[in-house]
Amino acid sequence: MEAEALFEAHTAAELRAVERRLRAGIEQKREELRQMVGERYRDLIEAADTIAEMRLSAERLLGAVRGLQRGGATRPGPAAPALPPAQEGFYRAAAQLKLLLEVPEKVWGAVEGGRYLPAARLHLLGAHLRRQLQLDAPRARSSPVLARFPILLRQVAAVSHLRATILQESKALLKSQTVSDQAVAEALCAIMLLEDSSPRQALADFLLARKLAIQQLLNQPHHGAGIKAQVCSLMELLTTTLYQAHALFYTMPEGMPPDPALPCGLLFSTLESATGQRPAGKGGVLEEEVKLSSWFRYLPESVVEFQPALRTLAHPISQDHLRETLQKWITMCSEDIRAGVSNLLVYVKSMKGLAGIRDAVWELLTSESVSQNWDALCHRLLDKPASLWEDLLQQLFLDRLETLTKEAFDSISSSSKQLLTVALQELEVQPSTSAPSKHIQFEHNVALFLWSESSNDLPCDAAWVSVANRGHFTKSGLSMKAQALTPCVQSFCSGLDSKLKTRLDDLLSYLPMDSSAKDAAPVVQPRSAFDRYADAGTVEGLLRDRCVACIHHVLGCVREELQSTQSLLGGQADAPSDARLNAVLFMARLCQSLTELCPHLKQCVLGRSDSSEMVLKETRSTKKLGKGKAQEVSPVQAKWQGVKAELLQQSLFAYQIWSSAVTKGLVECFTRTLLLDTAGSVLATATSWDEIEIQEETESGTTVMSKIRLPVQPSWYVQCLLFSLCQEVNRVGGHTLPKVTLQELLRTCMAQVLAAYEKLMEEKQEKKAGTFPVTQNRALQLLYDLRYLSIILTARSEETKPSRIKHDSRMEKVIDFLEGHIDPFDLDVFTPHLNSNLNRLVQRTSVLFGLLTGTENQYTSRSGTLSSQEQHIILPLASSQIRFGLLPLSMSSSRKTKSASRSTDRVQWDADL
């Protein structure tokens, strides 16, 4: 509001003047603040300088006082007056009592400061003083000294606990891995002096303490990231123990110069300095400040020059004994380490965590402080190389990794089984009970899915990114429709692939970053403690085996469902329900597309060898299988090929169940219509015939024009059979059906059709009364129908030759029976025209029934006027001159000659009958 008032009451020039005054005031206040801070800072600097000068003055004063004390002590003064012997003895005893009273305090101070060797020496000095004063004798209570100084009784009782305390603290120090070699040597010397033990016993005490330290470290509370620290501390404790064992107990052989990089014999040198005799005035355990006391000169020489000693000489430990002891210790500790680390690794729930612990151990053992002299150390102490990772941890990590892999893939197997069960339950719901979802409708009718449009049919970058440049995992909606991979199949495969990807990514953290890492590691790290990726092949093998076992489990569930469906359909007399067949088709499509829609499945099986080069080798090896060169396929590729073969086998088994059910239902309807034996039923299924004028020569040689009638279309029930069969094939995505399945469908259908005709033949041969006779016209129609069905339903392939021969023998009997009801003279006249009509009918319906006939039944034979067009793959519409251009077919030119010859043979095969 004040600013608004200024703008209302003043002009622009006045406002600028106000602004200048405000800015000048701001700068003035800022300068005052700067000056005030600067003055306070100068005062602070002066105070700090004054404090530093005071400290230096105090240190100089203290140094001067100490110098005066030392000078007064060493300055020769007037000789002390000689004391009487009795008084001198009294002073000597008093000095010893004074020192005896001060020893416990000095021992406690040394223990608290971690100086256990000086504490042990002072404790032994106190014991020496008590012996000098005869305080430890059995009759010490009657001593005149105790009578005059009763406080010594309490002092003797307090001193009795010092020995146990020094031993306890010294042995506790041996468990620590962070103390220096000198501190460990002094602690061991203190134990040896107090227990009067040998170096071998000291070695046993040292190793026992470290074994207890290992057990204590393994029994610590463990959680999360602390496991890595525990394992690394364990490895550090082991390496430190071996290095300190060498520094303390190892002695160089005679004639060998010492190695500065690996010190040794520290225990014996420390023990020598603690027990060895020194020149007069240079030895003893008393500290310098005691020697400055006025009563120090009354101490006897045995007290002043006292040095503790061992009862037996400390002989160096032989290398054989040291090696044997260390090997036994490592063996005992290995059992505890394996058990303890196994319990720790239970809390590691991922392979990434295992890799982190392994890498931390590798960094520790590869560090310069550990690895620099490790080989020489192991050679001296153990007479063999030693690898802590390979000997202790590697197998434990592999066992835990195997457990994690098994648990992960068991979870994937159970979840996949549950997903499969839920999907099958949704598919088996009858449409009348509830409105199915859109995805379920697509499963019921794949053609509806193929011809529906969705936003993901084309990727968003389809306009500027070619298919060759797309990622391997990028699949467009159109590509899914081209392969008839329905949304339910895509959803199942996507869920399985995401779980496999999670497992694969977790496992890849345990493997090298690229395939050349294993080869490059020894070159980059010449002093590497161990090869982190030496077990990469084993790890990939675990992944491969568990992944294959998971797929086998899923296949086992599919197999059980298919077998139960097959037994259920086999026991039904009527046509099977669409719900069961939809479930069967879902499993067929699932097994067929699992390797395509789950790219990480292939990576799990093939491992890191899954590359373009591997795919090329796989393709070449597959092509060479038929040429006797299958030995070029690696075991890994063979396992992948085996997985694909098992999936394909289950898919074909499911398609076989579907084709059998479909064929059974359609042919049963066909058979019922065929066997109807009434005039009305025959007329209801009849089609129009063609009237043909022919020239016949009489006996006199003249030609007579006559008309004959022949069928040009199959019966209605034949057309219904073929059209319904095409509808069923189209409903399940006929263009993606395996060729073997389609051939089996046609073969089964043809066999059942022949069985129907054979049944008709048997009924007519019985000649029951009241049955409708087989007239010549009906025989012609039945013959025409049978030959047409034979052409359409007979699969032309190498695998079907034996069954074709069998069908031909059965068909000849039926044809002979039907031709027996036709006048032989008329049959000779009718056969050429019947073949022509049949040829024309097959050509006209080859597109209508193209899902059944395939490219093998497409005819390319033309009249002589069109011989110049034979090199093209064409679809002829009629034998006469055509009005439209030739229609191209999706056939390879390499199969033109074979297909044309087969087509010609198929039309003309019965012309000679």
Side-chain angles (χ1 to χ4, degrees):
M1 295 298 295
E2 184 179 355
E4 293 180 358
L6 285 175
F7 276 95
E8 292 175 357
H10 297 81
T11 62
E14 292 173 348
L15 288 174
R16 292 192 182 94
V18 172
E19 181 188 7
R20 285 193 294 271
R21 287 195 301 271
L22 288 175
R23 291 186 181 277
I26 291 172
E27 290 296 330
Q28 183 179 359
K29 295 297 182 182
R30 187 177 295 167
E31 182 63 28
E32 290 176 0
L33 179 62
R34 191 180 295 112
Q35 291 178 0
M36 182 177 64
V37 172
E39 291 175 358
R40 296 292 184 270
Y41 185 72
R42 284 194 295 272
D43 295 342
L44 180 62
I45 295 298
E46 291 175 358
D49 293 341
T50 303
I51 294 173
E53 292 177 359
M54 292 173 62
R55 185 177 68 252
L56 293 176
S57 299
E59 290 178 354
R60 286 195 294 268
L61 180 60
L62 289 175
V65 171
R66 292 191 186 97
L68 288 175
Q69 289 178 348
R70 287 192 299 270
T74 58
R75 182 178 179 181
L83 296 177
Q87 191 174 4
E88 183 178 359
F90 175 76
Y91 282 165
R92 185 179 295 111
Q96 294 182 51
L97 289 175
K98 172 66 175 176
L99 180 60
L100 182 61
L101 292 175
E102 289 188 356
V103 162
E105 181 180 357
K106 294 183 180 296
V107 170
W108 284 115
V111 170
E112 292 176 355
R115 297 178 291 112
Y116 303 116
L117 181 58
R121 296 177 69 194
L122 287 172
H123 176 73
L124 293 176
L125 175 61
H128 177 69
L129 288 172
R130 291 193 296 274
R131 287 192 299 270
Q132 289 286 104
L133 298 174
Q134 298 181 355
L135 298 180
D136 290 338
R139 299 179 180 180
R141 291 186 177 275
S142 60
S143 172
V145 177
L146 290 178
R148 293 185 180 183
F149 303 99
I151 193 174
L152 292 177
L153 288 174
R154 185 177 299 176
Q155 188 71 14
V156 171
V159 169
S160 62
H161 301 289
L162 286 177
R163 181 177 181 275
T165 302
I166 297 173
L167 287 174
Q168 180 181 357
E169 295 296 328
S170 298
K171 292 181 179 180
L173 181 137
L174 297 180
K175 298 179 182 179
S176 176
Q177 61 185 8
T178 58
V179 295
S180 62
D181 298 347
Q182 183 63 39
V184 176
E186 292 181 357
L188 286 173
C189 288
I191 296 172
M192 293 177 65
L193 291 176
L194 293 178
E195 295 184 344
D196 197 18
S197 57
S198 63
R200 291 193 175 189
Q201 183 61 38
L203 174 61
D205 293 340
F206 172 71
L207 296 180
L208 177 62
R210 291 303 169 91
K211 186 176 185 295
L212 294 176
I214 290 175
Q215 294 176 349
Q216 182 179 357
L217 184 61
L218 291 174
N219 294 328
Q220 286 181 357
H222 36 260
H223 48 80
I227 297 177
K228 180 194 297 185
Q230 284 182 262
V231 176
C232 291
S233 299
L234 182 63
M235 293 296 102
E236 186 178 2
L237 179 59
L238 288 175
T239 55
T240 303
T241 300
L242 291 179
Y243 271 106
Q244 289 183 347
H246 181 276
L248 296 172
F249 302 102
Y250 185 81
T251 54
M252 297 294 293
E254 295 183 2
M256 293 288 292
D259 186 2
L262 281 174
C264 59
L266 184 60
L267 175 68
F268 303 102
S269 60
T270 304
L271 191 63
E272 177 65 24
S273 63
T275 60
Q277 298 297 327
R278 299 184 182 182
K282 301 293 184 180
V285 297
L286 297 177
E287 299 177 354
E288 292 295 330
E289 58 184 31
V290 176
K291 296 180 180 180
L292 296 178
S293 301
S294 59
W295 48 268
F296 175 75
R297 64 177 180 267
Y298 298 107
L299 291 173
E301 185 179 357
S302 62
V303 176
V304 174
E305 300 295 335
F306 174 78
Q307 286 283 7
L310 295 173
R311 294 181 182 178
T312 58
L313 295 178
H315 295 288
I317 301 176
S318 64
Q319 294 185 5
D320 293 338
H321 178 76
L322 179 61
R323 181 184 307 112
E324 182 180 357
T325 304
L326 287 176
Q327 289 178 350
K328 290 182 179 179
W329 177 80
I330 291 175
T331 302
M332 290 188 300
C333 292
S334 299
E335 299 176 359
D336 296 336
I337 291 172
R338 291 190 181 97
V341 174
S342 297
N343 295 331
L344 289 176
L345 294 182
V346 171
Y347 297 91
V348 181
K349 300 299 183 181
S350 66
M351 300 177 194
K352 186 176 182 181
L354 287 177
I357 299 175
R358 179 202 60 188
D359 294 342
V361 172
W362 180 82
E363 291 175 0
L364 172 66
L365 299 181
T366 310
S367 61
E368 187 176 359
S369 60
V370 176
S371 64
Q372 186 174 9
N373 302 301
W374 179 256
D375 294 338
L377 175 75
C378 295
H379 178 71
R380 291 182 181 181
L381 295 182
L382 306 176
D383 198 20
K384 63 179 182 179
S387 174
L388 298 180
W389 167 258
E390 296 175 357
D391 297 340
L392 299 177
L393 300 181
Q394 185 177 20
Q395 189 58 43
L396 301 179
F397 275 66
L398 286 177
D399 293 342
R400 180 56 184 165
L401 191 143
E402 183 178 4
T403 302
L404 288 176
T405 306
K406 181 180 182 300
E407 292 175 353
F409 278 98
D410 287 347
S411 175
I412 294 176
S413 300
S414 60
S415 61
S416 300
K417 181 179 180 180
Q418 184 177 2
L419 286 176
L420 181 64
T421 304
V422 171
L424 294 180
Q425 289 176 353
E426 292 178 353
L427 289 173
E428 292 180 0
V429 172
Q430 298 294 337
S432 58
T433 58
S434 61
S437 63
K438 193 173 182 180
H439 289 174
I440 300 301
Q441 292 178 8
F442 288 160
E443 289 294 332
H444 293 170
N445 189 357
V446 179
L448 181 62
F449 166 65
L450 297 180
W451 295 104
S452 63
E453 292 185 359
S454 60
S455 58
N456 62 344
D457 282 347
L458 288 177
C460 57
D461 56 354
W464 53 85
V465 178
S466 62
V467 177
N469 295 329
R470 294 191 184 279
H472 181 64
F473 305 117
T474 305
K475 300 291 185 181
S476 64
L478 284 180
S479 64
M480 295 294 101
K481 292 179 180 179
Q483 302 174 68
L485 302 179
T486 56
C488 291
V489 175
Q490 296 180 38
S491 176
F492 184 95
C493 293
S494 176
L496 178 60
D497 190 60
S498 63
K499 295 171 186 176
L500 292 176
K501 182 180 184 300
T502 302
R503 292 297 98 209
L504 187 62
D505 292 342
D506 189 22
L507 186 70
L508 287 179
S509 61
Y510 201 86
L511 300 176
M513 295 300 295
D514 51 15
S515 58
S516 61
K518 293 187 291 185
D519 300 333
V523 179
V524 178
Q525 295 288 344
R527 293 182 180 179
S528 177
F530 59 90
D531 186 3
R532 286 182 289 177
Y533 309 115
D535 50 4
T538 304
V539 173
E540 290 183 354
L542 290 175
L543 174 66
R544 182 181 306 112
D545 295 340
R546 290 301 171 186
C547 182
V548 172
C550 175
I551 297 301
H552 285 166
H553 179 78
V554 175
L555 284 176
C557 299
V558 172
R559 189 180 300 110
E560 291 178 2
E561 294 289 342
L562 292 177
Q563 289 175 352
S564 63
T565 303
Q566 187 182 30
S567 60
L568 181 63
L569 295 178
Q572 290 182 352
D574 53 351
S577 62
D578 291 340
R580 298 294 298 180
L581 292 182
N582 290 333
V584 170
L585 289 170
F586 168 76
M587 289 184 281
R589 284 189 288 267
L590 179 63
C591 295
Q592 187 180 16
S593 60
L594 206 58
T595 56
E596 178 70 20
L597 296 185
C598 295
H600 292 97
L601 172 62
K602 183 177 182 180
Q603 290 188 6
C604 289
V605 176
L606 293 181
R608 303 184 66 88
S609 60
D610 183 19
S611 60
S612 57
E613 181 181 358
M614 184 59 65
V615 173
L616 179 61
K617 290 182 179 179
E618 180 180 345
T619 305
R620 291 178 177 175
S621 301
T622 305
K623 291 181 178 179
K624 294 178 180 179
L625 284 177
K627 299 181 180 180
K629 296 184 179 180
Q631 66 274 12
E632 295 185 6
V633 180
S634 66
V636 176
Q637 294 175 1
K639 181 162 288 191
W640 171 243
Q641 294 294 337
V643 170
K644 293 201 301 183
E646 292 179 7
L647 288 170
L648 179 60
Q649 182 181 2
Q650 288 302 313
S651 177
L652 294 178
F653 178 54
Y655 276 125
Q656 181 184 1
I657 296 175
W658 165 80
S659 64
S660 300
V662 169
T663 304
K664 179 181 178 182
L666 295 178
V667 177
E668 281 181 356
C669 181
F670 170 84
T671 304
R672 286 195 300 269
T673 309
L674 177 65
L675 297 179
L676 290 176
D677 202 19
T678 61
S681 63
V682 174
L683 291 176
T685 58
T687 57
S688 62
W689 285 30
D690 190 16
E691 188 176 281
I692 304 174
E693 292 186 357
I694 61 173
Q695 293 182 358
E696 294 180 316
E697 186 176 352
T698 62
E699 295 179 357
S700 59
T702 61
T703 59
V704 178
M705 299 296 295
S706 62
K707 293 182 180 181
I708 60 174
R709 291 182 177 275
L710 292 176
V712 292
Q713 291 183 2
S715 301
W716 289 120
Y717 55 85
V718 174
Q719 299 185 41
C720 290
L721 171 65
L722 295 177
F723 187 73
S724 299
L725 201 57
C726 283
Q727 278 187 317
E728 291 296 327
V729 174
N730 182 68
R731 187 175 66 85
V732 301
H735 64 285
T736 60
L737 279 180
K739 188 176 180 180
V740 177
T741 299
L742 188 57
Q743 292 175 351
E744 181 65 24
L745 175 67
L746 299 179
R747 187 163 43 246
T748 306
C749 187
M750 187 62 204
Q752 295 183 11
V753 165
L754 276 178
Y757 276 97
E758 289 174 347
K759 189 174 183 180
L760 175 65
M761 180 178 66
E762 293 175 359
E763 291 182 357
K764 297 304 178 182
Q765 285 177 347
E766 293 179 0
K767 296 181 180 180
K768 295 181 180 179
T771 59
F772 190 77
V774 179
T775 62
Q776 178 169 315
N777 288 344
R778 190 183 180 194
L780 279 173
Q781 185 66 53
L782 291 174
L783 180 63
Y784 188 81
D785 293 343
L786 179 59
R787 292 178 55 186
Y788 177 66
L789 286 172
S790 175
I791 295 174
I792 297 297
L793 297 180
T794 301
R796 294 283 180 171
S797 62
E798 295 297 328
E799 295 82 359
T800 58
K801 283 185 177 180
S803 60
R804 176 192 168 192
I805 295 172
K806 183 178 179 180
H807 286 174
D808 288 349
S809 62
R810 296 173 57 191
M811 189 177 296
E812 286 178 2
K813 295 180 181 179
V814 178
I815 290 176
D816 291 341
F817 169 75
L818 294 176
E819 288 180 350
H821 293 78
I822 304 173
D823 183 81
F825 176 78
D826 292 342
L827 181 62
D828 293 338
V829 176
F830 294 161
T831 298
H833 301 285
L834 200 64
N835 289 336
S836 178
N837 291 347
L838 191 62
N839 189 7
R840 189 179 302 109
L841 176 64
V842 170
Q843 294 175 5
R844 289 173 178 174
T845 58
S846 58
V847 174
L848 180 62
F849 302 138
L851 285 177
L852 302 180
T853 58
T855 56
E856 293 85 357
N857 288 340
Q858 308 295 348
Y859 289 89
T860 58
S861 59
R862 301 291 294 163
S863 59
T865 58
L866 297 176
S867 60
S868 60
Q869 303 268 349
E870 287 184 357
Q871 67 273 19
H872 301 287
I873 302 172
I874 58 175
L875 175 65
L877 299 180
S879 59
S880 60
Q881 187 64 32
I882 59 176
R883 297 174 55 192
F884 304 101
L886 304 178
L887 300 179
L889 293 179
S890 58
M891 284 179 59
S892 59
S893 59
S894 61
R895 298 173 58 187
K896 172 185 70 64
T897 306
K898 182 185 293 186
S899 177
S901 61
R902 288 179 177 178
S903 302
T904 306
D905 293 342
R906 178 172 295 181
V907 177
Q908 302 294 336
W909 71 275
D910 198 38
D912 299 331
L913 292 178

